[in-house]
Amino acid sequence: MRDDDTDDDPALSRALAELPRVDMPKLAARALRVRAERRLDGRRPGWLARQEPRVLVALSAAQLVWAVLRVLDLAAP
Amino acid sequence: MRSREVPERARRETVTDDVVARLRAGEAAAFGVVYETYRARVYAFLLRLSGDAHTASDLAQETWLRLAASAMRLTPETDVGAWLFTVARNLHRSQRRWTLLDRDRLAALGLMAPRAAASPLDEAARDQLTRKLEHALAALPVRLREVVLLSTVEGFSAPEVARMLQLAPAAVRQRLSRGRALLRAALDHDAPGGDDA
């Protein structure tokens, strides 16, 4: 606690402040960092990612047109 | 009485406003700086809150992934340290609710798993006093333990802890005082010449 409070037991405060800092296993820590950085990067969409919805709509439309043409072709005498 | 000091270790380990600004811009290097500064602190906090290495690891992962997902929504004034500890504490709180439900169910079915024998905190303890202190901390009710950890171990001020836990500063001081009294009583009780000596 900071200077807006008083310390009734400095020895206890010191012992608590000096508790050993236990860390994650190194490999797990490294893997987590890579995963989190990837997610951070994923939050910044690139040009291709921004175009993705348009590309999907265009492909769907093209497929629909192709299907219609195919049906008309089969129906033709 | 003298002024209670911020633990030296916690005071040293903060990040600058410049790092926060770069993090808000989505810069991976800035994320790396924040990660290396707070990783062990957040993990140790969660380990002492939950008492279980797997739970602490899962909650730490979720905390860091949330920072990555929210980095661009932080404000320039955000204290990243306080943000991380707030998220970690809230995740633990919500996980605990589910665990308690699960434990009740498992106990009802007679399927409670035995507790792990040695915790990483026991292994890291350098001496007898540290080991006793870890055990006394683990025995504190969670609402007192989180206040002791955030204020005395991590060095946040009463108003900061109050904001993090959404409590009044007076309530934080009261919980801190109660928590410290229980810790002192536990240490005195175990000490030679204590109650049981």
Side-chain angles (χ1 to χ4, degrees):
Chain A
M1 188 68 68
R2 291 221 272 261
D3 34 287
D4 52 0
D5 201 359
T6 50
D7 194 348
D8 51 356
D9 189 344
L12 178 63
S13 298
R14 206 169 33 250
L16 282 166
E18 287 170 2
L19 282 175
R21 189 160 292 164
V22 187
D23 201 354
M24 301 171 81
K26 274 196 166 44
L27 205 63
R30 178 80 200 127
L32 172 57
R33 180 172 169 171
V34 169
R35 204 175 145 206
E37 282 178 353
R38 223 173 265 161
R39 181 174 285 195
L40 181 73
D41 213 32
R43 294 276 149 176
R44 283 193 307 178
W47 185 86
L48 274 177
R50 284 200 304 274
Q51 301 309 314
E52 189 182 320
R54 270 170 235 159
V55 171
L56 289 177
V57 168
L59 285 175
S60 303
Q63 195 176 16
L64 188 66
V65 169
W66 178 83
V68 169
L69 290 176
R70 188 100 173 90
V71 169
L72 289 176
D73 186 41
L74 285 176
Chain B
M1 292 212 206
R2 71 185 174 87
S3 184
R4 192 170 287 163
E5 292 166 357
V6 182
E8 269 306 314
R9 206 168 49 181
R11 198 203 316 253
R12 265 200 318 268
E13 296 168 5
T14 53
V15 293
T16 60
D17 291 348
D18 170 57
V19 172
V20 178
R22 283 163 44 215
L23 177 64
R24 290 178 62 233
E27 203 183 293
F31 182 87
V33 172
V34 176
Y35 185 74
E36 294 307 327
T37 306
Y38 288 104
R39 184 191 67 229
R41 284 174 64 184
V42 169
Y43 177 73
F45 170 70
L46 285 167
L47 185 58
R48 290 193 172 101
L49 260 192
S50 66
D52 177 70
H54 290 296
T55 306
S57 188
D58 287 348
L59 297 180
Q61 280 202 36
E62 188 54 34
T63 304
W64 287 104
L65 292 175
R66 284 198 186 188
L67 177 65
S70 316
M72 282 163 228
R73 290 198 300 273
L74 299 177
T75 63
E77 302 81 33
T78 304
D79 176 345
V80 183
W83 190 97
L84 284 166
F85 281 101
T86 306
V87 171
R89 180 264 178 179
N90 289 341
L91 285 170
H92 171 258
R93 197 172 170 215
S94 128
Q95 184 270 349
R96 201 165 159 266
R97 281 195 201 119
W98 289 107
T99 309
L100 287 175
L101 283 175
D102 284 347
R103 272 194 192 156
D104 287 348
R105 249 180 258 144
L106 289 173
L109 295 168
L111 295 172
M112 274 294 273
R115 283 185 74 86
S119 119
L121 294 170
D122 275 331
E123 287 164 19
R126 289 178 301 257
D127 50 41
Q128 192 67 10
L129 172 68
T130 311
R131 228 184 319 275
K132 276 183 189 165
L133 191 53
E134 293 284 13
H135 286 183
L137 257 177
L140 282 184
V142 173
R143 66 195 177 86
L144 303 183
R145 200 185 325 153
E146 59 190 13
V147 173
V148 171
L149 288 173
L150 289 171
S151 58
T152 318
V153 178
E154 293 303 332
F156 289 105
S157 68
E160 283 171 331
V161 176
R163 272 196 298 278
M164 292 159 87
L165 306 187
Q166 295 183 307
L167 290 171
V172 169
R173 288 196 184 91
Q174 197 180 24
R175 287 187 187 188
L176 179 63
S177 170
R178 178 91 187 112
R180 288 169 62 92
L182 286 173
L183 286 179
R184 248 191 322 271
L187 293 178
D188 289 347
H189 183 75
D190 284 345
D195 293 347
D196 60 344

